[in-house]
Amino acid sequence: MKTSASTAVIMTLLATFFWGSNFQAAKIALSSNPPWTASFERFIIAVIGTFAILLLKEKVRWEILSRNLMPYIVLGVIGVAGFNGSLFVGLQTSSPITASLLMATTPISANIIEAIINRQVPATDRIVGMIISLFGVSLVITNGQILSGHIDFAPGDVIILAGSIGWAAYTVGTRAFVTDSTPLETTTWTMLFGTIALGLAAFAFESPVEAVVVGSGISFLAILWMGIAGSVLAYLFWNVGIAVRGPGKTSIFFNFVPVFALLIEVTMGTIPHLVQIIGIAITIFGVLVGQGRFSTWVSKTAS
């Protein structure tokens, strides 16, 4: 069944919601697990889930795997292992506020990478929308402190920035370098190779078996949520969005991740300040501008 553009938008929003929930879940998961091990556990669950869905809904097409083997491996290492590993490791010295701000630069990186590959300049609406939404996200995650122009960079900030660029490359690469692969196949194979890379890192830098044995039950439940909702469904929905609407239009929705993270914090009892609420409104407006919705509405109103 072919996915419509409107359905792809909804799925993309759900993907960003699931990723936004990962911040709260990660706090719980990391309470009794080191970063590489937590990421490895999460994606073991995710790989099992994606393969189960692949076997039920489609089938393993070995010719597609053979044709896209190198892109799957590279994108899995960059977009799964690199992105998630850099986030967890970077947060050891970086603050969540700065990390969210750096992650919010992903749409800009994705559009720059896409423009380089396609040798064309992004549409004006998309550029303006990215700038507006990035400013809105900055207000949300810094509680307005971005206006002072003072941001300190820790060593982890550089690691997280590299991870955000890796995710941008993944977003563009799944469309540019993967051929004849369904979103589910792309999700499954890139996640598998990313998980292998995470496993190698976990055993190289930590003691994952010991960490799993002594880990708490609540920590495991948090990892389970991150593995199913924050990985399987999020990656699958995101890749559907890329396949249907393109990487540029999809990537700008990544700015909703810190917004959803904040809204989840509200349900946990944290009340946002007025400047953060304004930032949420600006972010949504920026996404609409980037999708061309605002200019379309203005044109219809003018006519």
Side-chain angles (χ1 to χ4, degrees):
M1 182 183 297
K2 186 177 181 180
T3 303
S4 66
S6 58
T7 301
V9 169
I10 295 173
M11 296 177 77
T12 303
L13 279 172
L14 283 173
T16 60
F17 169 75
F18 291 143
W19 277 322
S21 71
N22 281 341
F23 285 95
Q24 187 65 34
K27 292 181 181 179
I28 301 173
L30 292 173
S31 63
S32 63
N33 283 279
W36 288 107
T37 297
S39 296
F40 182 41
E41 286 183 71
R42 167 189 176 184
F43 280 100
I44 287 178
I45 297 170
V47 165
I48 293 173
T50 53
F51 264 104
I53 296 174
L54 180 65
L55 293 175
L56 289 174
K57 295 192 64 175
E58 300 178 9
K59 63 179 181 178
V60 176
R61 297 190 295 171
W62 298 109
E63 69 277 9
I64 297 299
L65 172 61
S66 177
R67 185 183 310 166
N68 296 288
L69 181 60
M70 188 55 62
Y72 283 153
I73 293 174
V74 174
L75 292 172
V77 171
I78 294 174
V80 178
F83 172 69
N84 291 277
S86 66
L87 177 61
F88 281 104
V89 172
L91 281 172
Q92 305 302 301
T93 55
S94 176
S95 71
I97 289 178
T98 304
S100 299
L101 178 59
L102 292 171
M103 286 299 180
T105 64
T106 299
I108 296 176
S109 301
N111 277 271
I112 291 174
I113 294 172
E114 184 182 19
I116 293 173
I117 292 176
N118 297 330
R119 298 181 180 178
Q120 63 182 23
V121 179
T124 302
D125 280 350
R126 197 174 300 174
I127 295 174
V128 174
M130 286 190 296
I131 295 173
I132 294 173
S133 58
L134 181 58
F135 175 67
V137 168
S138 300
L139 290 178
V140 172
I141 62 182
T142 67
N143 193 22
Q145 294 178 359
I146 188 68
L147 297 176
S148 67
H150 179 70
I151 302 178
D152 294 323
F153 281 91
D157 298 341
V158 178
I159 298 175
I160 293 173
L161 178 60
S164 72
I165 296 174
W167 178 248
Y170 176 90
T171 299
V172 177
T174 53
R175 174 120 171 196
F177 303 116
V178 176
T179 58
D180 300 324
S181 176
T182 67
L184 180 55
E185 287 175 317
T186 301
T187 302
T188 301
W189 293 117
T190 56
M191 197 172 286
L192 172 63
F193 292 116
T195 302
I196 293 173
L198 284 171
L200 293 174
F203 280 97
F205 302 120
E206 300 166 355
S207 301
V209 176
E210 180 181 347
V212 171
V213 172
V214 301
S216 65
I218 189 65
S219 177
F220 174 76
L221 290 176
I223 292 174
L224 185 64
W225 167 264
M226 296 174 70
I228 297 176
S231 299
V232 178
L233 298 181
Y235 273 78
L236 177 59
F237 290 177
W238 186 259
N239 282 330
V240 169
I242 295 172
V244 175
R245 308 182 71 249
K249 289 184 177 180
T250 301
S251 64
I252 197 170
F253 274 83
F254 200 75
N255 280 329
F256 274 118
V257 172
V259 174
F260 281 128
L262 176 65
L263 294 177
I264 292 171
E265 287 289 331
V266 171
T267 65
M268 305 296 290
T270 302
I271 306 300
H273 294 85
L274 177 61
V275 68
Q276 292 177 306
I277 296 175
I278 294 174
I280 291 174
I282 293 175
T283 299
I284 295 174
F285 175 70
V287 170
L288 293 176
V289 171
Q291 300 299 300
R293 299 294 181 85
F294 184 71
S295 59
T296 301
W297 176 81
V298 171
S299 299
K300 290 182 178 179
T301 303
S303 60

